[in-house]
Each structure stands twice: as C-alpha cells, then as structure tokens.
Amino acid sequence: VITLKKSVLVVCALCLCGAVGLLAAAGAFRPSAGEPGMTIVLDPGHGGIDGGTVGVTTGVPESELNLLIARDLRSALLSYGLSVVLTRENADGLYGQPTDGFKRRDMEKRREIIESAAPVLMISLHLNKFASRQREGAQVFFRADSPEGEKAARAIQDSLNQLNSRAFEALTGDYYMLNCTNFTSVIVECGFLSNPDDERKLLTPAYRRRLAEKIAEGAVRYLLESGTIAPESAPDRTAGG
C-alpha cells in the first residue's frame, strides 16, 4: 500500500464532490514529491508519421492533441504527489526510422516503457471518430479480463461524465495498449474529432486542462478505493520543537 500526504487525501475526498478545482486554485493543498511505486504511465497515442485521426473542420492531427492532453494530465497528477512517465515527450513517434514495420516497433517501444516503469496505472490517450458527426464526448475502455482495469475505467468515466453532455458507460476493448502488459491499463478516448463541437473544445487550452483534471480525479479516486494509496498519519503539531 502506497501512502499519500494527508492534505492530498483530503482534497481527493472533496474532489469526488466536484470541489477539487476550486481547492487547487486556492492553494488548499501542497503537492508532495513523487515516491517510488507511485508511478502512472501516460501514453499519448500516435506520433511522427502516424498522426491518427484528424479534425473534421481544421484537420488537426490526433497525435498533437493527445500530447497536449498528456502534458496537462501529467501536471494534474503531479499535484497529487504521483510520479508520471510519458511514453513520448514530443511529436516524434517511437519507431526509429519510418520504414516497414514502424507501427509494430512503435507499439513495442510503448510496452517496454510501461514494463520498465511498473506503474500502478497506465492511461493511453486517444481521440475518437465516428461516421455520424453527432457522436461526442469522452469514453473509457478496459480489458475484459482485468477487474482492476474495469474499476479504474469506471472511476475515470464517472469523473469525465461531469463534462460529457450525456453519461457514458466504460466499455471493454480488445486493443494492444490494454493487452500488452499485466499492469492495470485503460484507454481514454478524449472526444470525437469527427464532431465539430468536440474538435473546437479540444483545441481550447482551458477545456483540455479541465479534461485532464477530470481524468486525474478519476484516477486518484480509483487508487484510493482500490487501496493502492492510503492516508499518511498526520504529524503531531502539538509537539514542541
């Protein structure tokens, strides 16, 4: 069981009631330094010559927005005292040379990074598309045979539903990033680039920060409820010295 500072735990409890944004803005807690074993891996999908899907209006590549969301999410998770590893830090892919088999090499490198970090949770960030432009909102996926993945996905989905125009259910998915390791993993499809309204919001820094905050809230809620993190004993402030 990993510990979080008591001040952070209080914020985590309040954030379930939707108050974390106000508390953070008011400086109601101080982030603690990340400790060994408290690592979350963030996987910004695509990169390099693999841009993923593109915005229906602007043509913005999914890979660019995935990385921006990952950076905001890293900041949000660091504020809870968690350590964060990104599978990619820039616009480049992880495949080396853009030759045949680049996609396989890219995915295998992501797996290597996850295995090396040995995280309490891996969150792969993507953007969705659908034939109908009416589909919108963020949705979370988990591996069917992963009870912890399901718990994490449901916690993050519940948090994201505060931003969605309608409530989604977390769903099972058969994807490489969910299957490539035994570490608890989820995929967050952060919106539909095939929907002009979602595209417009995702191009807005304030919305991406809010999206990242909700993902972080759900992730921390999962870690608390699963017993992965626990409160640290409060220091005795009545003692002299």
Side-chain angles (χ1 to χ4, degrees):
V1 175
I2 303 163
T3 60
L4 278 183
K5 300 296 184 183
K6 184 180 180 183
S7 61
V8 176
L9 179 68
V10 171
V11 173
C12 292
L14 287 171
C15 82
L16 301 183
C17 301
V20 68
L22 292 175
L23 288 171
F29 68 93
R30 296 180 183 277
S32 58
E35 300 174 18
M38 295 178 68
T39 300
I40 290 182
V41 170
L42 303 180
D43 173 52
H46 306 282
I49 62 174
D50 176 18
T53 190
V54 297
V56 67
T57 301
T58 67
V60 61
E62 174 190 355
S63 57
E64 178 181 322
L65 294 175
N66 290 340
L67 183 59
L68 292 173
I69 295 167
R71 289 170 176 168
D72 285 337
L73 181 51
R74 173 170 55 189
S75 296
L77 291 168
L78 288 174
S79 74
Y80 285 106
L82 295 160
S83 297
V84 180
V85 171
L86 268 64
T87 57
R88 67 178 177 98
E89 295 274 358
N90 55 44
D92 298 335
L94 302 176
Y95 43 77
Q97 295 299 315
T99 54
D100 288 348
F102 77 91
K103 187 65 176 179
R104 175 182 54 79
R105 295 194 301 275
D106 183 271
M107 302 298 275
E108 288 178 351
K109 183 61 178 180
R110 292 170 197 266
R111 177 186 58 79
E112 291 175 12
I113 293 170
I114 297 167
E115 293 282 352
S116 178
V120 293
L121 178 62
M122 191 285 295
I123 303 173
S124 189
L125 299 165
H126 288 262
L127 291 167
N128 221 332
K129 68 176 180 179
F130 196 69
S132 170
R133 292 191 178 188
Q134 303 306 309
R135 291 292 296 273
E136 61 180 336
Q139 192 159 31
V140 189
F141 293 84
F142 61 93
R143 195 173 72 198
D145 63 349
S146 173
E148 290 304 310
E150 180 175 2
K151 292 176 186 176
R154 292 189 184 281
I156 295 171
Q157 186 68 69
D158 286 347
S159 184
L160 284 170
N161 282 341
Q162 298 174 38
L163 291 180
N164 287 338
S165 60
R166 67 177 182 86
F168 281 104
E169 292 288 336
L171 299 177
T172 60
D174 184 18
Y175 303 109
Y176 179 87
M177 294 309 300
L178 297 177
N179 299 327
C180 65
T181 77
N182 288 324
F183 295 102
T184 302
S185 301
V186 299
I187 291 175
V188 180
E189 296 279 359
C190 295
F192 284 82
L193 281 181
S194 50
N195 179 287
D197 289 337
D198 268 9
E199 179 189 15
R200 174 184 53 78
K201 289 187 293 185
L202 288 160
L203 287 168
T204 305
Y207 179 78
R208 291 196 302 269
R209 286 192 296 270
R210 187 66 174 147
L211 182 72
E213 289 167 2
K214 288 302 176 185
I215 297 172
E217 287 176 15
V220 172
R221 175 185 167 190
Y222 158 70
L223 295 174
L224 286 166
E225 291 179 346
S226 68
T228 305
I229 53 179
E232 182 180 71
S233 298
D236 183 1
R237 297 189 180 278
T238 63

